[in-house]
Amino acid sequence: GEIGIANDITDNVHHVVTAQSVGGARLDGVIVEAGNTAGDTNNDDGGGIYNRETLTLENVIVRNNSANDDGGGIRNDGALTVINSTVDANKANSSSSVSSGGVGLIYTGGATTTVVNSTFSRNEALNGGAIRNDGTLNLTNSTLSGNLALESGGGLVNTVNVQPPFTVVGSATATISNSTITNNEAQNTSGQATAVGGGIANFGDVTVTNSIIAGNVGDDDIV
C-alpha cells in the first residue's frame, strides 16, 4: 500500500494527499492546503485529500483546496475517520450535475466516514457545501457552519447509495449526534432543487439526536 504526499503543496496541481491500498494510514498534526485538481485529466476530485482505502485524520487542517469537480477538501471512497480537525475554505467547482458537490467532504456509495470533534466552515460547492454523503456518515460533537451550496444542502446533502455503474442500491445513512449545523446557506440557483435545505437536504435516512440545526438560510434548516 502507499500514501502519497506532494513535495510542493504550494504549486501542486493535483491531490496534496492520496491514500490507496493502505491498511490503517494516519495523518496527525499536519496542514493540507493549496491542492488543485484542475490540471488532473484523470481524476479531478479531491483537491486536498483523495482516500481510496483506510485513512485517519487527527489534529489536521484541510484548507484552501480546490477540486475541478467534487470533494474540494476531501474525497473518500473507503473508510475515513476525522478527529479534532478543521476543514475550512475549500471549493468544489463542478456545475455540470445536480448531484455534484461536497466541497469539504464527499464520499461515494459504500464508503464510511466518521467525524468527531471537528469543524467544517466556509466551504462552497454545488450540493453539500460542507459534506455530501453517498454512503454512511457518523457526525459526533462536530460543527458545520458558514458553508455554502449553490443548489441544495448548505451544510449536508444526504443522498442515495449508488454502486457502479450508477445503480442505486439503497439510501445513504447519516447519524448526527451532539452536533451543531448553523449559518449555512443553500441558494437553489437553478430553481430546480427538490429539497433545498439550508442546513440539511435529505434524500436518504438521517437520524439526529441532541443536536442544534438552526439559523440556516434556504428553504428550511432540514428538509
Side-chain angles (χ1 to χ4, degrees), residues 18 20 22 25 33 121 144 167 174 190 192 194-195 213:
T18 301
Q20 58 187 17
V22 174
E33 65 180 351
S121 60
L144 310 183
T167 301
S190 70
Q192 298 178 356
T194 57
I213 304 174

mmCIF file of all heavy atoms in Angstrom, residues 18 20 22 25 33 121 144 167 174 190 192 194-195 213:
data_model
loop_
_atom_site.group_PDB
_atom_site.id
_atom_site.type_symbol
_atom_site.label_atom_id
_atom_site.label_comp_id
_atom_site.label_asym_id
_atom_site.label_seq_id
_atom_site.Cartn_x
_atom_site.Cartn_y
_atom_site.Cartn_z
ATOM 1 N N THR A 18 -2.776 11.447 -1.423
ATOM 2 C CA THR A 18 -3.531 10.334 -1.995
ATOM 3 C C THR A 18 -3.230 9.085 -1.196
ATOM 4 O O THR A 18 -2.070 8.698 -1.053
ATOM 5 C CB THR A 18 -3.152 10.085 -3.467
ATOM 6 O OG1 THR A 18 -3.399 11.269 -4.223
ATOM 7 C CG2 THR A 18 -3.974 8.943 -4.051
ATOM 8 N N GLN A 20 -4.050 5.057 -1.007
ATOM 9 C CA GLN A 20 -4.655 3.962 -1.752
ATOM 10 C C GLN A 20 -3.997 2.639 -1.367
ATOM 11 O O GLN A 20 -2.811 2.582 -1.088
ATOM 12 C CB GLN A 20 -4.532 4.193 -3.252
ATOM 13 C CG GLN A 20 -3.117 4.345 -3.761
ATOM 14 C CD GLN A 20 -3.079 4.744 -5.225
ATOM 15 O OE1 GLN A 20 -4.076 5.204 -5.774
ATOM 16 N NE2 GLN A 20 -1.940 4.573 -5.854
ATOM 17 N N VAL A 22 -4.146 1.040 1.310
ATOM 18 C CA VAL A 22 -3.488 1.244 2.591
ATOM 19 C C VAL A 22 -4.335 0.659 3.710
ATOM 20 O O VAL A 22 -5.540 0.852 3.756
ATOM 21 C CB VAL A 22 -3.272 2.751 2.856
ATOM 22 C CG1 VAL A 22 -2.719 2.977 4.249
ATOM 23 C CG2 VAL A 22 -2.323 3.326 1.825
ATOM 24 N N ALA A 25 -3.658 3.856 7.395
ATOM 25 C CA ALA A 25 -2.811 5.042 7.260
ATOM 26 C C ALA A 25 -3.345 6.154 8.149
ATOM 27 O O ALA A 25 -4.544 6.247 8.421
ATOM 28 C CB ALA A 25 -2.769 5.505 5.814
ATOM 29 N N GLU A 33 -3.054 21.914 2.310
ATOM 30 C CA GLU A 33 -3.577 23.130 1.702
ATOM 31 C C GLU A 33 -3.061 23.306 0.275
ATOM 32 O O GLU A 33 -2.088 22.683 -0.152
ATOM 33 C CB GLU A 33 -3.190 24.350 2.531
ATOM 34 C CG GLU A 33 -1.709 24.636 2.590
ATOM 35 C CD GLU A 33 -1.377 25.867 3.420
ATOM 36 O OE1 GLU A 33 -2.314 26.599 3.817
ATOM 37 O OE2 GLU A 33 -0.179 26.089 3.680
ATOM 38 N N SER A 121 -16.149 24.622 7.892
ATOM 39 C CA SER A 121 -16.581 26.014 7.789
ATOM 40 C C SER A 121 -16.111 26.641 6.482
ATOM 41 O O SER A 121 -15.075 26.261 5.914
ATOM 42 C CB SER A 121 -16.038 26.826 8.966
ATOM 43 O OG SER A 121 -14.620 26.792 8.984
ATOM 44 N N LEU A 144 -20.918 22.191 11.610
ATOM 45 C CA LEU A 144 -20.946 22.611 10.206
ATOM 46 C C LEU A 144 -21.497 24.028 10.209
ATOM 47 O O LEU A 144 -22.665 24.246 10.530
ATOM 48 C CB LEU A 144 -21.846 21.700 9.359
ATOM 49 C CG LEU A 144 -21.656 20.183 9.456
ATOM 50 C CD1 LEU A 144 -22.601 19.474 8.493
ATOM 51 C CD2 LEU A 144 -20.213 19.787 9.188
ATOM 52 N N THR A 167 -25.818 2.435 -10.159
ATOM 53 C CA THR A 167 -27.011 1.701 -9.753
ATOM 54 C C THR A 167 -27.353 2.034 -8.315
ATOM 55 O O THR A 167 -26.529 1.878 -7.417
ATOM 56 C CB THR A 167 -26.786 0.180 -9.882
ATOM 57 O OG1 THR A 167 -26.466 -0.134 -11.239
ATOM 58 C CG2 THR A 167 -28.038 -0.584 -9.462
ATOM 59 N N ALA A 174 -27.091 8.894 7.453
ATOM 60 C CA ALA A 174 -26.357 9.866 8.257
ATOM 61 C C ALA A 174 -26.876 9.829 9.691
ATOM 62 O O ALA A 174 -28.088 9.920 9.922
ATOM 63 C CB ALA A 174 -26.496 11.262 7.678
ATOM 64 N N SER A 190 -30.633 27.323 -9.610
ATOM 65 C CA SER A 190 -31.364 26.915 -10.816
ATOM 66 C C SER A 190 -32.867 26.910 -10.605
ATOM 67 O O SER A 190 -33.632 26.865 -11.559
ATOM 68 C CB SER A 190 -30.920 25.515 -11.244
ATOM 69 O OG SER A 190 -31.391 24.542 -10.317
ATOM 70 N N GLN A 192 -34.441 24.435 -9.349
ATOM 71 C CA GLN A 192 -34.916 23.086 -9.647
ATOM 72 C C GLN A 192 -34.689 22.091 -8.513
ATOM 73 O O GLN A 192 -35.092 20.937 -8.622
ATOM 74 C CB GLN A 192 -34.227 22.570 -10.910
ATOM 75 C CG GLN A 192 -34.519 23.393 -12.137
ATOM 76 C CD GLN A 192 -33.791 22.890 -13.373
ATOM 77 O OE1 GLN A 192 -33.001 21.952 -13.304
ATOM 78 N NE2 GLN A 192 -34.072 23.504 -14.513
ATOM 79 N N THR A 194 -35.259 19.821 -5.539
ATOM 80 C CA THR A 194 -36.479 19.297 -4.928
ATOM 81 C C THR A 194 -36.440 19.378 -3.414
ATOM 82 O O THR A 194 -37.479 19.374 -2.770
ATOM 83 C CB THR A 194 -36.708 17.835 -5.359
ATOM 84 O OG1 THR A 194 -35.566 17.053 -4.991
ATOM 85 C CG2 THR A 194 -36.912 17.747 -6.863
ATOM 86 N N ALA A 195 -35.243 19.403 -2.834
ATOM 87 C CA ALA A 195 -35.098 19.601 -1.394
ATOM 88 C C ALA A 195 -33.905 20.529 -1.205
ATOM 89 O O ALA A 195 -32.766 20.142 -1.434
ATOM 90 C CB ALA A 195 -34.872 18.273 -0.677
ATOM 91 N N ILE A 213 -29.854 22.328 14.847
ATOM 92 C CA ILE A 213 -29.898 22.621 13.411
ATOM 93 C C ILE A 213 -30.787 23.852 13.267
ATOM 94 O O ILE A 213 -32.022 23.748 13.296
ATOM 95 C CB ILE A 213 -30.435 21.437 12.600
ATOM 96 C CG1 ILE A 213 -29.620 20.180 12.878
ATOM 97 C CG2 ILE A 213 -30.428 21.758 11.105
ATOM 98 C CD1 ILE A 213 -30.168 18.925 12.227
#
